[in-house]
mmCIF file of all heavy atoms in Angstrom:
data_model
loop_
_atom_site.group_PDB
_atom_site.id
_atom_site.type_symbol
_atom_site.label_atom_id
_atom_site.label_comp_id
_atom_site.label_asym_id
_atom_site.label_seq_id
_atom_site.Cartn_x
_atom_site.Cartn_y
_atom_site.Cartn_z
ATOM 1 N N SER K 103 -15.536 24.482 10.687
ATOM 2 C CA SER K 103 -14.966 23.342 9.957
ATOM 3 C C SER K 103 -13.633 22.925 10.550
ATOM 4 O O SER K 103 -13.328 21.736 10.669
ATOM 5 C CB SER K 103 -14.786 23.685 8.481
ATOM 6 O OG SER K 103 -16.038 23.780 7.868
ATOM 7 N N VAL K 104 -12.833 23.902 10.928
ATOM 8 C CA VAL K 104 -11.550 23.601 11.558
ATOM 9 C C VAL K 104 -11.802 22.920 12.904
ATOM 10 O O VAL K 104 -11.147 21.921 13.244
ATOM 11 C CB VAL K 104 -10.703 24.880 11.734
ATOM 12 C CG1 VAL K 104 -9.438 24.596 12.527
ATOM 13 C CG2 VAL K 104 -10.379 25.487 10.382
ATOM 14 N N GLY K 105 -12.760 23.415 13.661
ATOM 15 C CA GLY K 105 -13.098 22.799 14.938
ATOM 16 C C GLY K 105 -13.575 21.367 14.773
ATOM 17 O O GLY K 105 -13.253 20.503 15.584
ATOM 18 N N ASP K 106 -14.330 21.108 13.705
ATOM 19 C CA ASP K 106 -14.821 19.761 13.455
ATOM 20 C C ASP K 106 -13.703 18.777 13.145
ATOM 21 O O ASP K 106 -13.839 17.580 13.364
ATOM 22 C CB ASP K 106 -15.823 19.759 12.298
ATOM 23 C CG ASP K 106 -17.187 20.258 12.720
ATOM 24 O OD1 ASP K 106 -17.535 20.095 13.907
ATOM 25 O OD2 ASP K 106 -17.905 20.804 11.863
ATOM 26 N N VAL K 107 -12.603 19.264 12.636
ATOM 27 C CA VAL K 107 -11.460 18.393 12.359
ATOM 28 C C VAL K 107 -10.863 17.881 13.674
ATOM 29 O O VAL K 107 -10.421 16.738 13.757
ATOM 30 C CB VAL K 107 -10.386 19.138 11.522
ATOM 31 C CG1 VAL K 107 -9.093 18.349 11.452
ATOM 32 C CG2 VAL K 107 -10.913 19.438 10.119
ATOM 33 N N PHE K 108 -10.905 18.703 14.702
ATOM 34 C CA PHE K 108 -10.245 18.351 15.960
ATOM 35 C C PHE K 108 -11.187 17.845 17.051
ATOM 36 O O PHE K 108 -10.746 17.157 17.967
ATOM 37 C CB PHE K 108 -9.418 19.530 16.458
ATOM 38 C CG PHE K 108 -8.316 19.877 15.499
ATOM 39 C CD1 PHE K 108 -8.429 20.971 14.653
ATOM 40 C CD2 PHE K 108 -7.194 19.079 15.406
ATOM 41 C CE1 PHE K 108 -7.430 21.272 13.747
ATOM 42 C CE2 PHE K 108 -6.185 19.366 14.495
ATOM 43 C CZ PHE K 108 -6.301 20.464 13.659
ATOM 44 N N PHE K 109 -12.464 18.194 16.990
ATOM 45 C CA PHE K 109 -13.432 17.661 17.957
ATOM 46 C C PHE K 109 -14.301 16.645 17.226
ATOM 47 O O PHE K 109 -15.153 17.002 16.430
ATOM 48 C CB PHE K 109 -14.300 18.762 18.576
ATOM 49 C CG PHE K 109 -15.219 18.222 19.642
ATOM 50 C CD1 PHE K 109 -14.724 17.896 20.892
ATOM 51 C CD2 PHE K 109 -16.563 18.016 19.380
ATOM 52 C CE1 PHE K 109 -15.555 17.381 21.871
ATOM 53 C CE2 PHE K 109 -17.405 17.499 20.349
ATOM 54 C CZ PHE K 109 -16.905 17.176 21.594
ATOM 55 N N ARG K 110 -14.069 15.393 17.490
ATOM 56 C CA ARG K 110 -14.717 14.299 16.763
ATOM 57 C C ARG K 110 -15.794 13.660 17.640
ATOM 58 O O ARG K 110 -15.592 12.600 18.228
ATOM 59 C CB ARG K 110 -13.671 13.296 16.336
ATOM 60 C CG ARG K 110 -12.665 13.930 15.404
ATOM 61 C CD ARG K 110 -11.542 13.010 15.086
ATOM 62 N NE ARG K 110 -10.658 13.675 14.127
ATOM 63 C CZ ARG K 110 -9.402 13.373 13.987
ATOM 64 N NH1 ARG K 110 -8.865 12.429 14.726
ATOM 65 N NH2 ARG K 110 -8.668 14.016 13.101
ATOM 66 N N ALA K 111 -16.941 14.302 17.684
ATOM 67 C CA ALA K 111 -18.028 13.867 18.564
ATOM 68 C C ALA K 111 -18.491 12.451 18.251
ATOM 69 O O ALA K 111 -18.757 11.666 19.174
ATOM 70 C CB ALA K 111 -19.206 14.836 18.450
ATOM 71 N N ASN K 112 -18.594 12.110 16.989
ATOM 72 C CA ASN K 112 -19.117 10.796 16.625
ATOM 73 C C ASN K 112 -18.155 9.676 17.009
ATOM 74 O O ASN K 112 -18.584 8.628 17.489
ATOM 75 C CB ASN K 112 -19.440 10.758 15.131
ATOM 76 C CG ASN K 112 -20.488 11.784 14.792
ATOM 77 O OD1 ASN K 112 -21.617 11.703 15.254
ATOM 78 N ND2 ASN K 112 -20.107 12.783 14.025
ATOM 79 N N LEU K 113 -16.872 9.894 16.821
ATOM 80 C CA LEU K 113 -15.896 8.889 17.248
ATOM 81 C C LEU K 113 -15.864 8.771 18.768
ATOM 82 O O LEU K 113 -15.709 7.677 19.310
ATOM 83 C CB LEU K 113 -14.510 9.210 16.693
ATOM 84 C CG LEU K 113 -14.354 9.030 15.174
ATOM 85 C CD1 LEU K 113 -12.963 9.450 14.730
ATOM 86 C CD2 LEU K 113 -14.668 7.615 14.741
ATOM 87 N N ARG K 114 -16.026 9.893 19.463
ATOM 88 C CA ARG K 114 -16.104 9.852 20.928
ATOM 89 C C ARG K 114 -17.319 9.022 21.355
ATOM 90 O O ARG K 114 -17.239 8.203 22.277
ATOM 91 C CB ARG K 114 -16.245 11.258 21.508
ATOM 92 C CG ARG K 114 -15.002 12.095 21.437
ATOM 93 C CD ARG K 114 -15.325 13.535 21.845
ATOM 94 N NE ARG K 114 -14.196 14.391 21.703
ATOM 95 C CZ ARG K 114 -13.437 14.812 22.710
ATOM 96 N NH1 ARG K 114 -13.720 14.464 23.938
ATOM 97 N NH2 ARG K 114 -12.412 15.589 22.478
ATOM 98 N N ASN K 115 -18.435 9.259 20.671
ATOM 99 C CA ASN K 115 -19.656 8.538 21.015
ATOM 100 C C ASN K 115 -19.538 7.046 20.732
ATOM 101 O O ASN K 115 -20.017 6.217 21.506
ATOM 102 C CB ASN K 115 -20.854 9.140 20.278
ATOM 103 C CG ASN K 115 -21.251 10.469 20.865
ATOM 104 O OD1 ASN K 115 -20.815 10.843 21.952
ATOM 105 N ND2 ASN K 115 -22.073 11.209 20.143
ATOM 106 N N MET K 116 -18.887 6.692 19.650
ATOM 107 C CA MET K 116 -18.711 5.277 19.341
ATOM 108 C C MET K 116 -17.762 4.610 20.339
ATOM 109 O O MET K 116 -17.913 3.444 20.657
ATOM 110 C CB MET K 116 -18.221 5.079 17.910
ATOM 111 C CG MET K 116 -19.279 5.394 16.859
ATOM 112 S SD MET K 116 -20.843 4.493 17.082
ATOM 113 C CE MET K 116 -21.879 5.731 17.875
ATOM 114 N N ALA K 117 -16.799 5.368 20.870
ATOM 115 C CA ALA K 117 -15.929 4.828 21.918
ATOM 116 C C ALA K 117 -16.755 4.536 23.181
ATOM 117 O O ALA K 117 -16.547 3.509 23.834
ATOM 118 C CB ALA K 117 -14.790 5.793 22.222
ATOM 119 N N LEU K 118 -17.704 5.419 23.509
ATOM 120 C CA LEU K 118 -18.594 5.174 24.644
ATOM 121 C C LEU K 118 -19.412 3.910 24.417
ATOM 122 O O LEU K 118 -19.550 3.074 25.316
ATOM 123 C CB LEU K 118 -19.528 6.369 24.868
ATOM 124 C CG LEU K 118 -18.903 7.663 25.358
ATOM 125 C CD1 LEU K 118 -19.929 8.790 25.335
ATOM 126 C CD2 LEU K 118 -18.331 7.490 26.757
ATOM 127 N N LEU K 119 -19.968 3.765 23.210
ATOM 128 C CA LEU K 119 -20.759 2.588 22.879
ATOM 129 C C LEU K 119 -19.902 1.323 22.947
ATOM 130 O O LEU K 119 -20.304 0.322 23.537
ATOM 131 C CB LEU K 119 -21.372 2.738 21.480
ATOM 132 C CG LEU K 119 -22.110 1.515 20.930
ATOM 133 C CD1 LEU K 119 -23.307 1.177 21.803
ATOM 134 C CD2 LEU K 119 -22.531 1.754 19.494
ATOM 135 N N ARG K 120 -18.718 1.380 22.360
ATOM 136 C CA ARG K 120 -17.820 0.215 22.337
ATOM 137 C C ARG K 120 -17.473 -0.231 23.758
ATOM 138 O O ARG K 120 -17.544 -1.422 24.075
ATOM 139 C CB ARG K 120 -16.555 0.572 21.563
ATOM 140 C CG ARG K 120 -15.686 -0.599 21.209
ATOM 141 C CD ARG K 120 -14.460 -0.215 20.382
ATOM 142 N NE ARG K 120 -14.633 0.900 19.471
ATOM 143 C CZ ARG K 120 -14.129 2.126 19.657
ATOM 144 N NH1 ARG K 120 -13.406 2.420 20.726
ATOM 145 N NH2 ARG K 120 -14.331 3.080 18.765
ATOM 146 N N ARG K 121 -17.103 0.731 24.611
ATOM 147 C CA ARG K 121 -16.756 0.378 26.000
ATOM 148 C C ARG K 121 -17.946 -0.251 26.723
ATOM 149 O O ARG K 121 -17.793 -1.216 27.469
ATOM 150 C CB ARG K 121 -16.243 1.603 26.754
ATOM 151 C CG ARG K 121 -14.800 1.918 26.441
ATOM 152 C CD ARG K 121 -14.209 2.925 27.402
ATOM 153 N NE ARG K 121 -14.922 4.190 27.450
ATOM 154 C CZ ARG K 121 -14.636 5.239 26.693
ATOM 155 N NH1 ARG K 121 -13.651 5.188 25.826
ATOM 156 N NH2 ARG K 121 -15.336 6.358 26.813
ATOM 157 N N HIS K 122 -19.131 0.297 26.498
ATOM 158 C CA HIS K 122 -20.322 -0.248 27.138
ATOM 159 C C HIS K 122 -20.570 -1.688 26.673
ATOM 160 O O HIS K 122 -20.827 -2.573 27.501
ATOM 161 C CB HIS K 122 -21.548 0.622 26.831
ATOM 162 C CG HIS K 122 -22.822 0.027 27.327
ATOM 163 N ND1 HIS K 122 -23.178 0.034 28.651
ATOM 164 C CD2 HIS K 122 -23.808 -0.634 26.668
ATOM 165 C CE1 HIS K 122 -24.338 -0.579 28.799
ATOM 166 N NE2 HIS K 122 -24.734 -1.008 27.618
ATOM 167 N N LEU K 123 -20.482 -1.924 25.372
ATOM 168 C CA LEU K 123 -20.719 -3.275 24.854
ATOM 169 C C LEU K 123 -19.661 -4.256 25.350
ATOM 170 O O LEU K 123 -19.977 -5.406 25.653
ATOM 171 C CB LEU K 123 -20.756 -3.251 23.320
ATOM 172 C CG LEU K 123 -21.941 -2.517 22.694
ATOM 173 C CD1 LEU K 123 -21.817 -2.496 21.184
ATOM 174 C CD2 LEU K 123 -23.275 -3.111 23.140
ATOM 175 N N GLU K 124 -18.420 -3.808 25.448
ATOM 176 C CA GLU K 124 -17.356 -4.684 25.952
ATOM 177 C C GLU K 124 -17.594 -5.047 27.410
ATOM 178 O O GLU K 124 -17.387 -6.181 27.819
ATOM 179 C CB GLU K 124 -15.990 -4.026 25.770
ATOM 180 C CG GLU K 124 -15.536 -4.016 24.324
ATOM 181 C CD GLU K 124 -14.292 -3.178 24.087
ATOM 182 O OE1 GLU K 124 -13.826 -2.482 25.020
ATOM 183 O OE2 GLU K 124 -13.802 -3.208 22.950
ATOM 184 N N ARG K 125 -18.048 -4.079 28.201
ATOM 185 C CA ARG K 125 -18.342 -4.353 29.612
ATOM 186 C C ARG K 125 -19.494 -5.336 29.753
ATOM 187 O O ARG K 125 -19.558 -6.103 30.702
ATOM 188 C CB ARG K 125 -18.666 -3.070 30.372
ATOM 189 C CG ARG K 125 -17.434 -2.357 30.849
ATOM 190 C CD ARG K 125 -17.785 -1.212 31.765
ATOM 191 N NE ARG K 125 -17.263 -0.026 31.122
ATOM 192 C CZ ARG K 125 -17.942 1.061 30.815
ATOM 193 N NH1 ARG K 125 -19.212 1.155 31.128
ATOM 194 N NH2 ARG K 125 -17.385 2.070 30.216
ATOM 195 N N ARG K 126 -20.411 -5.273 28.812
ATOM 196 C CA ARG K 126 -21.581 -6.172 28.834
ATOM 197 C C ARG K 126 -21.274 -7.531 28.208
ATOM 198 O O ARG K 126 -22.156 -8.358 28.081
ATOM 199 C CB ARG K 126 -22.751 -5.534 28.067
ATOM 200 C CG ARG K 126 -23.288 -4.307 28.716
ATOM 201 C CD ARG K 126 -23.990 -4.726 29.973
ATOM 202 N NE ARG K 126 -24.916 -3.693 30.358
ATOM 203 C CZ ARG K 126 -25.461 -3.652 31.531
ATOM 204 N NH1 ARG K 126 -25.198 -4.570 32.410
ATOM 205 N NH2 ARG K 126 -26.296 -2.696 31.850
ATOM 206 N N GLY K 127 -20.038 -7.707 27.743
ATOM 207 C CA GLY K 127 -19.662 -8.988 27.158
ATOM 208 C C GLY K 127 -20.033 -9.121 25.694
ATOM 209 O O GLY K 127 -20.069 -10.207 25.155
#
Side-chain angles (χ1 to χ4, degrees):
S103 290
V104 174
D106 282 331
V107 169
F108 297 103
F109 184 76
R110 298 174 177 156
N112 299 296
L113 290 177
R114 288 171 184 257
N115 287 347
M116 289 306 100
L118 292 172
L119 174 63
R120 192 177 327 106
R121 280 193 302 269
H122 173 75
L123 292 177
E124 287 171 353
R125 276 188 240 125
R126 294 290 201 194

